Amino acid sequence: MSIATLRTSYLAASLASVSRSMLKQQVPIKSQYAATNSPPPPEGFMPGVANSKFIRNTHHEALRNPELAGVANGETKKMNTFQAINDAMSIALATDDTACVFGEDVAFGGVFRCTMGLAEMFGRDRVFNTPLSEQGIAGFGIGMAAMGSTAIAEIQFADYIFPAFDQLVNEAAKYRYRSGGEFDVGGLCIRTPCGAVGHGGHYHSQSPEAYFAHTPGLKVVIPRSPIQAKGLLLASVRDRNPVIFMEPKILYRAAVEMVPVGDYELPLGKAEILTQGKDLTVVGWGAQLYVLENAIQLAQKKMPGLSVELIDLRSILPWDVETVCNSVNKTGRLLIAHEAPKTQGFAAEIATTVMERCFLRLEAPIQRLCSYDTPFPLIFEKFHVPDMIRCAEGIERAMKF
Amino acid sequence: MFARIPARAVARAIPSRTLAATSVKAFATSAVSKDISATSKKDRIKVNFPGALDSHFSQKLEIRERMEPIDTFRVMDTDGKVLDPSLEPDVTEEFAIKIYKDMLTLNNVDLILYEAQRQGRISFYMTNAGEEAYIGSAAALDPEDEIFGQYREAGTLLYRGFTLDQFMNQCYSNDLDLGKGRQMPVHFGCKALHFQTISSPLATQLPQASGAAYAIKRSGRKNCVMCYFGEGAASEGDFHAALNIAATTSCPVIFFCRNNGFAISTPANEQYKGDGIASRGVGYGMHTIRVDGNDVWAVYKATQEARKIAVEQHKPVLIEAMTYRVGHHSTSDDSSAYRSKKEVEDWKRHDNPIVRMRKWLENKGWWDETKESSHKSFARSQVLKSFAAAEKRKKPPVSEMFNDVYDKLTPNLIEQKKELEELIKKYPDHYDTSNYAPEK
Ligand SMILES: Cc1ncc(C[n+]2csc(CCOP(=O)(O)OP(=O)(O)O)c2C)c(N)n1
Ligand SMILES: [Mg+2]
């Protein structure tokens, strides 16, 4: 073999295609992902979302929401969740000269494409890559915000937010309080993708909201859909407190809505009642809501006439105690579901508060449907998370108590 | 500060020789005043501040932006020719061929597993393409030196004897995976081979490597720790913590940076402004080597020397191996979004570590086309065989989800395990366990 052919044979197309066909011929496909004969998308599949009743597929449906009154006469555009987040950041940058977007790999668009096109549109001094350091990113954002600027920082995965824990918990959260109100970092918003995707294993799946919910001074927000993501993100960026905005990554492509193109905010600290009901209150947030939607349908097949009030909490901190307790006072039963492990998950906080405030109205033990208390296990994911069946069982337990 | 303690005044007060012979005591007792010309080099006066004892006072305000860039050690040119006869590797044919075969095999594993991911057969993969010469570093270690890796160092495991079956079992998360199917593909680990299990959070392994090295030193074993990481990971706080603690506590650890020019999409020139990662080693008072990371023999030699320092002197060493990530970051990445295909093609053509090693072997008369094609087809068939076998196997038993969280199951886990068992019994269609090995 000549040197020339030797060189090109290395990892070259010819060899790749040889291994491609050899693989298929010599080792016929039989595996979990093989059904599609193509790799799973990085953010996973959540096929049910498209058929959800909570997805606003049309212009009209989207704008029926009273919270969107400000843009009720405007246009809407079909967007998935990452596009809606991108749109929100684009508006934040356009309406606030001090705003910057930064983080690992954001300049080329981010590993989940959320910042695509922003560097080209607003310049590399406003949308830029940082060195690979989460504590650096968080601290840098705090510094910008301390100068009155707006910092929209991305932590590439919520699983990698822990190097920034000190900056967020000890610094951002206490900046105003410790200075007697002299200083604050209200302009800081940390965006980070969270949650299960089907193949993320330990470190591309976690939902660490409860760690931050234990920190006075922070706000924590988790949207369920493109319309919600855009309005909640704009509110989070503009809120005068540091906000951690956790994006369920499985919804980046799976959830598509007609999103108002205008500038709008959705309220922080306010839950949204997705369906009204009288027998049972179900509380969830993010992607778990779609699991709950299916679980409720399943339970209703077994228990015809079952009337469930489903609440999207939206803000984990501060959370909407009033909406949840009003609902439980009406229904007398509560189920909370989240993807994070059960012990010390945020459901524990909700359950305790409801127990304190609605004790005499409760007709069944509060149900917590959460992941099991193990690290997030790759190959056991479907057994680990509180799926439709487990949530439906929980509904039945609450109703039959 | 400048105004209050002029360097001149201090210089006048402390005679240089007394200080050079040095001690705080000398400083305290003798204060013979002598007029010293601060410009003459031999008369320069050392500072006495505890924070930088090697510094001298100077009347020249120096604003330093950079040091001399550190050279890149190289044994062979890109055609596999040894540049200085005194550097000709003193190795046996068998040893050299083992290294080369492992490089080729690794390349085959990469091709097949990458393709397997594209076909949806495994969920994820990361290739080593372009960086195979790091196998030279594995070859310079003792088999009992402990390895802490990042994720793109499967070749070191291959070199140590991790079998193709073991690689494939891990990537398939099957019941023979040592990690019990819990982590994503390429998160290998093997106690018998002294290779700590890979963890995705970057740079966390670095301070751990320092601690492990300290423990090895205390045990009296004549071993060191080898810690691999990328130039991107070196921006994390843990990197700095690791080097500093290793230097101050004299740890026998080698920090091996694979500087492949990229951290996902972020190019090295946006990752740092200094002279690579190597310059930082000097900053932490460590022995530091920069090496051509595409030159197996340079990597081998550098690691050999580093290991000597680590094991014999109990000192940490930083090696920066300069290379280029030819493949995409991972199967989740398409690098054409941030670098030109031509750039990648150029690297493949002009500086290929496998080709370089092959040419060296051919010049020695130890390798030829017949051996090349026979090893390639052998490697490919072995890889495919392991691949097919791993694909057929079941996943670990479902109960393995609950084990190893702690040494023993805790009450909450016992309860949750029971709950799941009952659910599986009640909803066998929904919780299909046919792809999982039966419970033991
Ligand atoms: C703490 C942390 N932050 C972010 C990531 C996501 N991530 C995975 S690999 C990577 C780039 C690493 O680059 P480098 O260290 O140069 O290694 P290379 O991939 O080039 O071998 C990033 C940002 C992570 N795994 N851990
Ligand atoms: Mg790199």
Side-chain angles (χ1 to χ4, degrees):
Chain A
M1 196 192 258
S2 76
I3 293 304
T5 41
L6 175 67
R7 279 173 171 163
T8 44
S9 75
Y10 170 78
L11 238 186
S14 59
L15 189 47
S17 64
V18 167
S19 49
R20 188 171 311 144
S21 54
M22 284 191 36
L23 252 187
K24 280 197 176 147
Q25 283 161 25
Q26 302 189 6
V27 192
I29 293 177
K30 171 198 171 291
S31 87
Q32 53 176 336
Y33 303 107
T36 54
N37 202 6
S38 64
E43 72 281 358
F45 296 108
M46 199 178 195
V49 179
N51 308 319
S52 166
K53 279 207 309 275
F54 311 132
I55 288 289
R56 312 294 175 216
N57 284 317
T58 65
H59 174 85
H60 184 69
E61 258 183 273
L63 295 179
R64 209 162 42 209
N65 181 350
E67 287 184 338
L68 299 179
V71 284
N73 298 321
E75 283 173 44
T76 56
K77 199 177 149 200
K78 192 169 166 176
M79 295 184 206
N80 64 25
T81 310
F82 79 68
Q83 290 161 337
I85 286 165
N86 181 280
D87 192 41
M89 282 190 278
S90 164
I91 290 173
L93 287 160
T95 53
D96 175 358
D97 279 344
T98 73
C100 291
V101 168
F102 53 90
E104 292 157 18
D105 303 296
V106 306
F108 93 115
V111 298
F112 289 110
R113 315 318 284 142
C114 292
T115 52
M116 234 176 0
L118 297 179
E120 291 75 6
M121 210 180 321
F122 296 97
R124 284 292 285 259
D125 65 321
R126 296 188 66 196
V127 180
F128 53 91
N129 288 340
T130 63
L132 209 170
S133 167
E134 291 75 17
Q135 69 270 52
I137 293 167
F140 189 93
I142 289 171
M144 279 192 72
M147 295 296 104
S149 293
T150 297
I152 307 170
E154 175 175 307
I155 299 294
Q156 201 162 81
F157 284 86
D159 311 70
Y160 303 136
I161 204 166
F162 299 108
F165 203 65
D166 190 36
Q167 285 287 351
L168 296 173
V169 169
N170 276 333
E171 299 300 314
K174 299 166 178 58
Y175 220 88
R176 177 181 282 121
Y177 194 81
R178 74 184 182 199
S179 69
E182 286 285 299
F183 297 101
D184 72 77
V185 292
L188 176 66
C189 177
I190 304 267
R191 294 179 38 245
T192 190
C194 67
V197 298
H199 53 82
H202 294 4
Y203 303 114
H204 297 85
S205 307
Q206 295 176 78
S207 299
E209 66 271 9
Y211 291 103
F212 297 103
H214 200 53
T215 306
L218 293 181
K219 292 194 176 182
V220 181
V221 178
I222 306 180
R224 70 163 186 278
S225 75
I227 294 175
Q228 293 290 313
K230 179 175 171 182
L232 289 170
L233 180 55
L234 274 167
S236 299
V237 167
R238 291 165 179 168
D239 189 84
R240 298 323 300 160
N241 299 282
V243 180
I244 297 176
F245 190 81
M246 294 176 47
E247 302 165 0
K249 57 178 116 44
I250 201 163
L251 301 179
Y252 277 144
R253 273 171 224 268
V256 181
E257 289 186 316
M258 294 303 288
V259 179
V261 295
D263 185 344
Y264 66 94
E265 293 174 26
L266 290 170
L268 304 190
K270 197 92 198 74
E272 185 183 1
I273 298 174
L274 295 181
T275 57
Q276 308 262 357
K278 55 183 178 23
D279 301 329
L280 168 71
T281 301
V282 171
V283 175
W285 50 88
Q288 188 66 27
L289 289 163
Y290 303 102
V291 176
L292 288 168
E293 183 184 18
N294 290 332
I296 292 166
Q297 277 175 21
L298 188 67
Q300 282 167 336
K301 275 189 196 138
K302 282 195 185 171
M303 291 174 278
L306 173 69
S307 164
V308 177
E309 182 139 306
L310 178 61
I311 298 177
D312 176 2
L313 199 63
R314 299 198 288 194
S315 282
I316 307 301
L317 191 68
W319 66 283
D320 190 348
V321 176
E322 195 187 341
T323 297
V324 173
C325 287
N326 284 347
S327 175
V328 177
N329 279 332
K330 183 172 67 175
T331 61
R333 292 181 160 87
L334 174 64
L335 180 150
I336 313 147
H338 60 61
E339 233 174 67
K342 182 171 192 177
T343 299
Q344 188 65 359
F346 198 66
E349 176 62 30
I350 299 173
T352 310
T353 304
V354 167
M355 190 273 294
E356 283 170 348
R357 297 184 182 220
C358 313
F359 186 70
L360 293 174
R361 281 291 300 125
L362 284 173
E363 287 168 38
I366 298 170
Q367 304 291 316
R368 284 186 290 157
L369 281 299
C370 313
S371 283
Y372 292 130
D373 289 328
T374 79
F376 204 100
L378 179 79
I379 207 67
F380 308 118
E381 175 171 328
K382 65 176 179 179
F383 304 103
H384 179 69
V385 296
D387 67 349
M388 174 183 69
I389 292 282
R390 250 158 79 191
C391 291
E393 284 268 308
I395 293 174
E396 222 180 308
R397 269 199 304 276
M399 294 314 301
K400 296 196 169 154
F401 183 78
Chain B
M1 241 172 81
F2 265 55
R4 241 174 289 147
I5 315 171
R8 269 267 223 42
V10 182
R12 235 178 284 119
I14 309 164
S16 66
R17 251 146 300 157
T18 326
L19 257 185
T22 231
S23 78
V24 180
K25 201 163 137 230
F27 177 42
T29 51
S30 82
V32 192
S33 191
K34 219 181 184 186
D35 202 33
I36 291 165
S37 151
T39 47
S40 115
K41 207 155 194 182
K42 73 176 194 322
D43 287 335
R44 297 230 297 153
I45 300 173
K46 271 199 162 181
V47 304
N48 197 32
F49 306 114
L53 287 165
D54 290 336
S55 176
H56 290 85
F57 287 111
S58 162
Q59 283 67 60
K60 202 171 135 243
L61 174 62
E62 187 191 36
I63 301 179
R64 191 181 290 199
E65 194 188 351
R66 48 189 237 136
M67 310 278 199
E68 247 336 275
I70 297 170
D71 287 345
T72 302
F73 174 68
R74 165 182 259 205
V75 170
M76 300 185 276
D77 66 12
T78 49
D79 280 325
K81 207 175 107 247
V82 173
L83 293 157
D84 173 344
S86 74
L87 291 175
E88 185 64 44
D90 180 17
V91 294
T92 64
E93 178 176 346
E94 191 193 357
F95 179 76
I97 285 180
K98 148 104 178 125
I99 293 178
Y100 181 65
K101 281 185 171 172
D102 281 351
M103 291 169 82
L104 275 187
T105 304
L106 179 64
N107 190 231
N108 265 289
V109 170
D110 279 354
L111 282 167
I112 286 170
L113 287 180
Y114 184 82
E115 196 46 51
Q117 198 278 346
R118 301 330 283 169
Q119 292 179 11
R121 308 169 82 146
I122 60 173
S123 60
F124 177 81
Y125 193 67
M126 296 175 109
T127 72
N128 300 261
E131 302 182 42
E132 292 90 347
Y134 69 72
I135 291 183
S137 68
L141 298 176
D142 180 271
E144 294 194 4
D145 291 341
E146 199 72 25
I147 294 180
F148 285 71
Q150 179 157 309
Y151 47 62
R152 214 184 292 283
E153 300 94 7
T156 60
L157 256 180
L158 185 69
Y159 186 86
R160 283 197 170 186
F162 205 58
T163 64
L164 292 174
D165 285 349
Q166 286 176 306
F167 281 109
M168 300 297 160
N169 291 335
Q170 198 283 333
C171 289
Y172 263 106
S173 312
N174 69 23
D175 62 333
L176 295 181
D177 166 22
L178 295 176
K180 302 180 184 162
R182 294 174 188 147
Q183 285 212 80
M184 285 170 77
V186 314
H187 291 64
F188 309 111
C190 180
K191 188 162 190 177
L193 296 176
H194 296 271
F195 189 101
Q196 300 277 320
T197 302
I198 300 299
S199 143
S200 325
L202 288 166
T204 48
Q205 79 277 20
L206 283 113
Q208 296 165 3
S210 303
Y214 194 76
I216 286 176
K217 177 173 84 168
R218 290 204 65 245
S219 76
R221 275 169 56 202
K222 291 269 164 265
N223 282 105
C224 68
V225 170
M226 176 58 137
C227 179
Y228 294 96
F229 58 100
E231 88 294 340
S235 293
E236 291 280 7
D238 275 351
F239 163 86
H240 299 274
L243 266 67
N244 199 28
I245 204 167
T248 56
T249 60
S250 301
C251 296
V253 51
I254 304 170
F255 295 106
F256 189 103
C257 177
R258 295 177 294 95
N259 189 334
N260 59 10
F262 288 91
I264 309 188
S265 75
T266 305
N269 67 6
E270 290 179 38
Q271 194 63 248
Y272 52 75
K273 284 286 172 238
D275 177 29
I277 306 304
S279 61
R280 302 180 198 169
V282 183
Y284 282 112
M286 281 170 55
H287 289 87
T288 299
I289 305 168
R290 176 176 283 150
V291 61
D292 179 343
N294 290 352
D295 176 343
V296 187
W297 292 128
V299 171
Y300 173 68
K301 175 88 180 146
T303 311
Q304 243 183 352
E305 293 303 320
R307 187 175 187 280
K308 261 188 227 148
I309 296 169
V311 174
E312 288 165 17
Q313 303 176 37
H314 289 148
K315 280 183 179 164
V317 183
L318 174 65
I319 297 177
E320 182 182 25
M322 311 309 292
T323 179
Y324 185 87
R325 195 195 79 211
V326 163
H328 303 297
H329 169 70
S330 73
T331 48
S332 308
D333 175 48
D334 172 8
S335 70
S336 65
Y338 52 82
R339 62 179 184 182
S340 74
K341 289 202 167 117
K342 182 172 176 307
E343 177 184 316
V344 180
E345 288 308 315
D346 284 350
W347 273 98
K348 279 199 232 171
R349 248 196 309 282
H350 298 313
D351 193 5
N352 177 331
I354 296 182
V355 172
R356 239 156 122 172
M357 178 61 163
R358 174 174 172 182
K359 288 180 179 168
W360 182 84
L361 285 169
E362 283 179 346
N363 290 340
K364 287 287 244 192
W366 290 350
W367 198 253
D368 55 30
E369 180 53 35
T370 325
K371 288 179 179 167
E372 176 85 6
S373 51
S374 104
H375 180 72
K376 266 191 184 156
S377 59
F378 174 75
R380 210 171 301 154
S381 68
Q382 293 299 300
V383 172
L384 283 169
K385 204 172 120 216
S386 294
F387 177 87
E391 191 169 47
K392 277 196 207 89
R393 295 201 68 89
K394 305 247 183 220
K395 308 306 176 198
V398 174
S399 65
E400 280 298 356
M401 172 163 66
F402 297 99
N403 295 335
D404 303 324
V405 180
Y406 299 99
D407 59 342
K408 292 191 208 74
L409 286 182
T410 49
N412 57 327
L413 290 171
I414 292 170
E415 201 180 295
Q416 292 173 6
K417 188 174 163 206
K418 195 159 154 270
E419 177 190 302
L420 179 60
E421 281 163 10
E422 281 162 11
L423 279 169
I424 291 174
K425 241 182 256 156
K426 189 166 170 193
Y427 300 96
D429 293 342
H430 181 80
Y431 294 108
D432 180 8
T433 56
S434 59
N435 205 19
Y436 293 77
E439 299 295 336
K440 281 175 209 128

